[in-house]
Amino acid sequence: MWILHNADLYAPEPRGIKHLLVAGSSIVWIGDDPPALDSSLGVKEFDLEGRRILPGLIDGHVHLSGGGGEAGYQSRVPAVALSRLTLGGVTSVVGVLGTDDVTRAPAELVATARGLIEQGLSAWCHTGGYHIPPVTITGTVRGDIIHIDRVIGVGEIAVSDHRSSQPTQDELLRIGAEAHVGGLMTGKAGVVHVHMGDGPRGTEPILRAIEGSEIPARVWNPTHVNRRRALFDDAMALAERGCTIDITAFPVEEGEDAWAADEALVRYLDAGLPADRVTVSSDGGGCLPAFDSEGRVTHFEVGSPGALAQTLLALLDRGQPLDRVLPAFTSNPALLLRLPRKGRIAAGADADLVTLDPKGRIVDVMANGTWYVQGGNPVIRGPFEGTA
Ligand code: ZN
């Protein structure tokens, strides 16, 4: 058990200075004054001295088992190490497969998510990858969502991209129906996480799917929506129709026709759109390739789960109030992904906590009641970290 004293609590809404009691993996009590606890309980105490405390970040798009592969076999990115998540304040992750859904498979991704759970984090994944028919474990998307504990949706299915399967509208609808019914039967998210490419068709496939079927708009969850500025405008219109849109925290060069994640989130919030229908994810472990007009890779970088914390810091640096921007990293993904114990600091929620220094940098990270980062340093590492 831990008692955390004098925490400036963002739940994500600001609650002022509070004391928190953590027992096992849960937050069990929050109050204005320190509780009277019997010394025989052996509760450990930690005084935050007024530092801000927030829910652990939820990263809804991480290539947990490694992504990439677009520039030959040597460009296959290795699996994401535990401390790369925790140092970035990420305590819940959703794994995805990307371009390479042939040499990589959903079974490997489920095993990787389970490995992170054994290490104390919270992890889920989507079945399928860029291509259709989606690669699955049981034979169908619906079967994977229903039968496999970790699988909560399907994706990232690629559209408007030269690397996609160029799905027809009927094919997309079929996948949406499978995800939706799988979600209904299990209480899981049941979403189609849609990779938006650079192509001129933009959001058109999703718009047609919303207009051409009875599947609720919430099922369609486009990501990378800030990769082109015109695409972002169209994606904001999708949010108005009921989709939750996902901004990717990739590096954006000066003059590039894209919005950096912090800029995109501010634009979304300034537009007065539903504040709970926007999320930010890292694309961590994925390869971020740039292509020439012939479809050849000119260069690539690797996405980092630390990009979420960097984006949060950039938002604070530009004067955004923490409570305005924090839901996109915490309570919004929890709502979309139907993770009721995640994304909020409340009695009964999982003890996933992040503390910030006055500048907004991450100092401590607790996941399910255990400290993983203290004073900015990892105190627990994954089993193979440092041996490579
Ligand atoms: Zn993608």
Side-chain angles (χ1 to χ4, degrees):
M1 287 169 89
W2 279 95
I3 177 92
L4 310 182
H5 292 295
N6 302 308
D8 185 7
L9 177 60
Y10 285 78
E13 65 281 359
R15 300 269 311 276
I17 299 291
K18 298 284 179 191
H19 304 263
L20 286 79
L21 183 62
V22 171
S25 62
S26 301
I27 300 161
V28 293
W29 178 91
I30 298 171
D32 291 325
D33 299 303
L37 293 171
D38 195 281
S39 62
S40 67
L41 289 170
V43 179
K44 293 182 201 137
E45 304 198 38
F46 181 43
D47 192 345
L48 271 77
E49 298 168 340
R51 283 209 307 276
R52 288 170 289 186
I53 194 163
L54 19 143
L57 308 185
I58 301 175
D59 194 340
H61 185 122
V62 183
H63 295 276
L64 288 178
S65 54
E70 285 107 324
Y73 295 105
Q74 63 178 335
S75 69
R76 296 169 86 253
V77 179
V80 178
L82 177 74
S83 69
R84 291 194 66 209
L85 295 162
T86 55
L87 274 172
V90 174
T91 54
S92 296
V93 277
V94 181
V96 290
L97 295 181
T99 315
D100 183 358
D101 45 17
V102 172
T103 77
R104 300 188 188 274
E108 179 193 14
L109 191 56
V110 167
T112 308
R114 287 181 178 152
L116 284 171
I117 289 169
E118 285 183 357
Q119 293 168 65
L121 251 59
S122 300
W124 294 266
C125 62
H126 293 311
T127 190
Y130 267 24
H131 304 107
I132 58 154
V135 285
T136 64
I137 297 170
T138 64
T140 63
V141 166
R142 199 158 34 107
D144 281 10
I145 295 173
I146 292 167
H147 295 305
I148 298 168
D149 57 350
R150 292 301 100 205
V151 176
I152 59 172
V154 57
E156 51 177 325
I157 302 282
V159 301
S160 307
D161 194 303
H162 64 97
R163 291 164 289 177
S164 90
S165 292
Q166 314 301 330
T168 65
Q169 191 192 5
D170 284 351
E171 287 167 332
L172 261 189
L173 288 181
R174 191 69 44 82
I175 294 167
E178 289 266 306
H180 176 52
V181 175
L184 288 177
M185 290 179 65
T186 55
K188 294 179 179 177
V191 293
V192 185
H193 191 55
V194 186
H195 160 106
M196 304 302 308
D198 276 332
R201 283 176 293 178
T203 57
E204 191 194 304
I206 296 181
L207 199 57
R208 285 173 52 199
I210 293 170
E211 287 173 349
S213 82
E214 298 76 24
I215 299 168
R218 74 165 293 281
V219 169
W220 308 102
N221 172 222
T223 184
H224 314 322
V225 293
N226 51 317
R227 71 186 308 157
R228 281 195 304 118
R229 295 179 181 187
L231 175 68
F232 190 65
D233 292 340
D234 293 343
M236 288 204 288
L238 287 180
E240 227 161 3
R241 308 274 309 245
C243 296
T244 296
I245 64 171
D246 184 45
I247 293 166
T248 303
F250 39 44
V252 173
E253 313 269 316
E254 183 108 2
E256 204 181 321
D257 178 28
W259 296 121
D262 61 305
E263 176 67 22
L265 182 58
V266 170
R267 280 175 177 269
Y268 180 95
L269 297 171
D270 285 352
L273 292 161
D276 58 359
R277 286 196 205 134
V278 63
T279 60
V280 182
S281 68
S282 72
D283 211 354
C287 173
L288 305 173
F291 297 95
D292 65 14
S293 61
E294 308 263 293
R296 286 176 302 221
V297 172
T298 51
H299 70 275
F300 64 84
E301 294 170 70
V302 173
S304 162
L308 289 196
Q310 285 159 16
T311 301
L312 195 56
L313 189 59
L315 286 158
L316 296 176
D317 276 348
R318 59 191 285 176
Q320 288 290 313
L322 179 58
D323 57 307
R324 183 177 199 233
V325 297
L326 190 55
F329 302 82
T330 55
S331 53
N332 291 359
L335 186 68
L336 173 74
L337 301 170
R338 292 180 173 156
L339 307 174
R341 293 175 61 88
K342 300 295 180 187
R344 302 197 60 78
I345 298 180
D350 288 337
D352 295 336
L353 302 166
V354 169
T355 75
L356 299 183
D357 73 7
K359 288 191 168 149
R361 290 173 302 212
I362 290 174
V363 182
D364 312 290
V365 179
M366 173 183 273
N368 290 312
T370 298
W371 293 109
Y372 282 76
V373 176
Q374 287 185 308
N377 297 307
V379 290
I380 296 178
R381 289 184 185 272
F384 301 112
E385 288 188 54
T387 58

